[in-house]
Amino acid sequence: MSARKPIRKAVFPVAGMGTRFLPATKAIPKEMLPIIDRPLIQYAVDEAREAGIDQLIFVTGRGKTAIVEHFDTAFELEATMTERDKSLDVLEPTRILPGNLVTVRQQVPLGLGHAIWCARAIVGDEPFAIFLPDELMIGQPGCMKQMVEAYNAVGGNLISVLEVPENEVSSYGVIDPGQRGFGPGGALTEVRGLVEKPKREDAPSNLIISGRYILQPEVMRVLEHQGKGAGGEIQLTDAMAQMIGQQPFHAVTFAGKRYDCGSKTGFVEATLAIALEREDMRDEVRAMALRLLG
Ligand code: G1P
């Protein structure tokens, strides 16, 4: 039996402007770009639900309403499909229990830490998860489920990490690792320090934060007073760093694959990889890829 408060809420910061994908993202949110037939945000929401999290908090901004529409009932669409004897099963992943999707707005892009802080009233006094939907995590079980298992073992705060080549560390939050290889599946690492987007020579390791977090509500109080950090933004990493030593802080090495859908090549890689896994298309896509490679 565990006395830990269960993780029921997830925050999805989706207010970003998606400038890297312009002009595709001029009129639609980058989170709505599809990997095959599901928008990116759907993969993150599916991962949350698989981990038993069903209260979804979207931190949105101007021009982002399509994300909320995606999880609403499309009455005319469903009526027309029913009339034409088409199955509504494809819409199943988009259904949310009434009241389980809440949006708050981040009016000004002041950074990831600020975006999370915008959700403080809805998060309340509970531990909660954070998903950065740009990071597409494919595993069995999914990344958040692996993290919830780790949380049940050690509690406190957890972040997912993975190794990157040393010349990439300056694009990420980087951990200073302590003891490694314990807990469920030997996946846990003690976190002794955190630094956001360090120079290569200052990075404490090549273990980077990969877009999944389980945090205690106290982080909101820290964020309240958090000054600007890397890139002149209010950084979540800086607020988390202040909690080390006050509360347990661990990293989980995710057993699975991660695709950085914030970059164009990462997006193409994810599309190809998922197409090659899907039973309904893998043979055709494989033959096509081989043909294209000549
Ligand atoms: C954010 C976080 C960073 C993390 C990264 C993962 O950075 O600040 O710590 O490693 O996401 O994708 P961003 O990509 O928003 O610059």
Side-chain angles (χ1 to χ4, degrees):
M1 211 192 88
S2 141
R4 311 200 192 285
K5 280 196 190 171
I7 312 297
R8 304 183 306 163
K9 298 179 179 175
V11 178
F12 301 78
V14 292
M17 288 193 289
T19 48
R20 275 199 267 179
F21 281 85
L22 283 170
T25 49
K26 187 180 173 197
I28 58 164
K30 68 170 172 177
E31 296 80 6
M32 290 304 293
L33 296 177
I35 302 281
I36 307 172
D37 51 11
R38 290 177 176 224
L40 254 186
I41 188 71
Q42 183 77 61
Y43 290 88
V45 166
D46 291 350
E47 188 190 323
R49 289 167 143 179
E50 184 206 14
I53 301 170
D54 55 7
Q55 298 181 24
L56 314 177
I57 305 165
F58 290 174
V59 181
T60 68
R62 285 171 59 78
K64 293 288 187 142
T65 15
I67 301 174
V68 182
E69 298 275 332
H70 177 74
F71 293 101
D72 197 2
T73 303
F75 194 78
E76 291 118 315
L77 174 69
E78 294 188 18
T80 309
M81 285 173 74
T82 307
E83 217 173 279
R84 295 181 187 166
D85 276 332
K86 289 205 158 72
S87 164
L88 297 180
D89 289 356
V90 282
L91 296 175
E92 210 45 52
T94 69
R95 298 196 195 285
I96 303 282
L97 202 65
N100 270 2
L101 191 159
V102 178
T103 66
V104 293
R105 285 227 178 188
Q106 182 191 26
Q107 292 89 343
V108 199
L110 295 179
L112 177 60
H114 179 260
I116 300 305
W117 179 73
C118 288
R120 67 200 176 283
I122 319 294
V123 166
D125 199 25
E126 286 185 42
F128 63 104
I130 300 172
F131 290 77
L132 308 189
D134 271 4
E135 301 273 354
L136 180 49
M137 311 292 263
I138 303 289
Q140 283 180 345
C143 184
M144 188 50 69
K145 191 158 187 196
Q146 293 180 24
M147 291 180 70
V148 166
E149 279 165 19
Y151 170 79
N152 289 335
V154 291
N157 302 276
L158 292 134
I159 48 183
S160 71
V161 293
L162 52 89
E163 279 185 52
V164 296
E166 266 163 37
N167 60 347
E168 290 177 20
V169 288
S170 57
S171 306
Y172 298 100
V174 181
I175 76 163
D176 177 7
Q179 193 199 342
R180 297 187 69 171
F182 61 98
L188 285 176
T189 299
E190 181 200 347
V191 177
R192 291 195 307 205
L194 286 164
V195 38
E196 182 67 16
K197 302 195 173 73
K199 284 195 204 134
R200 181 181 176 163
E201 56 273 25
D202 299 333
S205 74
N206 66 339
L207 285 171
I208 62 126
I209 308 172
S210 64
R212 299 292 183 273
Y213 309 71
I214 290 177
L215 298 179
Q216 297 299 316
E218 285 78 16
V219 74
M220 295 297 190
R221 255 72 82 199
V222 181
L223 281 168
E224 186 107 35
H225 306 287
Q226 189 62 52
K228 290 178 180 170
E233 299 191 339
I234 298 173
Q235 297 290 354
L236 179 61
T237 303
D238 296 342
M240 294 191 303
Q242 292 192 50
M243 293 170 72
I244 299 168
Q246 320 272 331
Q247 294 185 349
F249 218 115
H250 293 93
V252 179
T253 303
F254 168 53
K257 294 229 174 68
R258 165 257 189 179
Y259 304 99
D260 175 11
C261 293
S263 91
K264 291 176 209 176
T265 46
F267 201 94
V268 173
E269 183 190 13
T271 303
L272 250 183
I274 289 173
L276 288 169
E277 299 261 298
R278 273 179 51 159
E279 260 174 50
D280 60 337
M281 56 175 67
R282 67 175 165 220
D283 295 341
E284 219 176 312
V285 172
R286 202 185 138 77
M288 185 184 68
L290 289 170
R291 199 166 61 233
L292 285 173
L293 290 171

